[in-house]
């Protein structure tokens, strides 16, 4: 029951992973909001579709080069359509600077969903180690050959 409530609470949220923290001199929250609004504008929908942007977790200073550890950035949307547009278009909407190359977006998942996702990715890694096949990928919760997945509808 608690799983269903948590899933319902997260259905309008996305998580941006790998986005560098801004330096201490500038307001971190403003820099994060500016990044999300920049991506939203590149995807042709306004920042009014976004209800909240915040970092999750405590600031940790234990990373390389004296920069803080990059916490995940949670983005909450007002509706499902905006969330889906942001998720689908993130690659073409994010800045192309080197700092953002390892930045990606994923749905906000419950603890159980994250466990399942972690196990699936570990299985994909094992399969690629045993049979090096660059054509393997995760598609809708299963490991499939990229060439064998059904074509997505627009």
């Amino acid at each position: 029951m608690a799983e269903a409530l948590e899933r319902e609470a997260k259905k309008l949220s996305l998580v941006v992973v790998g986005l560098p923290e801004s330096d201490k001199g500038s307001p971190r929250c403003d820099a994060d909001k500016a990044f999300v609004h920049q991506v939203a504008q590149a995807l042709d929908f306004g920042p009014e579709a976004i209800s909240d942007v915040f970092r999750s977790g405590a600031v940790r200073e234990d990373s390389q080069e004296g920069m803080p550890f990059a916490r995940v950035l949670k983005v909450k949307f007002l509706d499902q359509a905006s969330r889906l547009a942001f998720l689908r278009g993130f690659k073409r909407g994010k800045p192309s600077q080197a700092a953002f190359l390892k930045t990606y977006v994923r749905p906000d998942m419950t603890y159980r969903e994250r466990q399942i996702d972690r196990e699936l990715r570990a299985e994909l890694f094992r399969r690629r180690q045993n049979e090096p096949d660059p054509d393997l990928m995760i598609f809708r919760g299963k490991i499939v050959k990229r060439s064998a997945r059904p074509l997505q509808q627009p």
Side-chain angles (χ1 to χ4, degrees):
M1 188 65 164
E3 173 86 12
L5 291 174
E6 187 178 358
R7 192 176 311 120
E8 183 67 25
K10 293 175 179 266
K11 79 177 184 181
L12 294 177
S13 299
L14 293 175
V15 176
V16 179
V17 180
L19 180 66
E21 296 258 357
S22 57
D23 59 358
K24 289 183 180 180
S26 68
R28 290 181 176 169
C29 188
D30 292 343
D32 294 337
K33 286 180 182 176
F35 171 80
V36 172
H37 290 165
Q38 178 183 2
V39 173
Q41 286 178 340
L43 299 176
D44 294 329
F45 68 88
E48 62 275 354
I50 299 166
S51 67
D52 199 10
V53 176
F54 61 94
R55 293 276 181 170
S56 183
V59 177
R60 293 180 10 204
E61 298 290 339
D62 59 350
S63 69
Q64 306 139 342
E65 302 157 12
M67 291 296 290
F69 180 80
R71 300 170 292 160
V72 297
L73 181 71
K74 291 185 118 183
V75 183
K76 290 188 176 189
F77 294 86
L78 295 175
D79 58 66
Q80 196 74 6
S82 299
R83 176 188 171 270
L84 192 57
F86 193 94
L87 182 61
R88 286 186 174 163
F90 182 77
K91 274 192 174 183
R92 75 181 146 90
K94 74 178 178 179
S96 59
Q97 294 103 342
F100 301 111
L101 289 178
K102 294 191 177 190
T103 302
Y104 63 95
V105 66
R106 64 172 174 79
D108 193 7
M109 297 185 274
T110 65
Y111 178 74
R112 175 117 172 89
E113 290 169 333
R114 287 192 307 267
Q115 281 181 318
I116 292 168
D117 184 62
R118 194 174 303 119
E119 290 168 5
L120 190 60
R121 291 183 187 285
E123 175 62 26
L124 177 64
F125 180 77
R126 279 192 297 276
R127 286 178 62 177
R128 284 183 175 162
Q129 292 292 321
N130 295 337
E131 51 179 282
D133 187 359
D135 198 35
L136 290 177
M137 66 176 288
I138 297 173
F139 181 74
R140 295 186 179 165
K142 296 179 183 172
I143 298 173
V144 298
K145 287 194 176 273
R146 188 176 307 275
S147 58
R149 76 174 192 264
L151 295 176
Q152 295 179 345
Q153 299 297 323

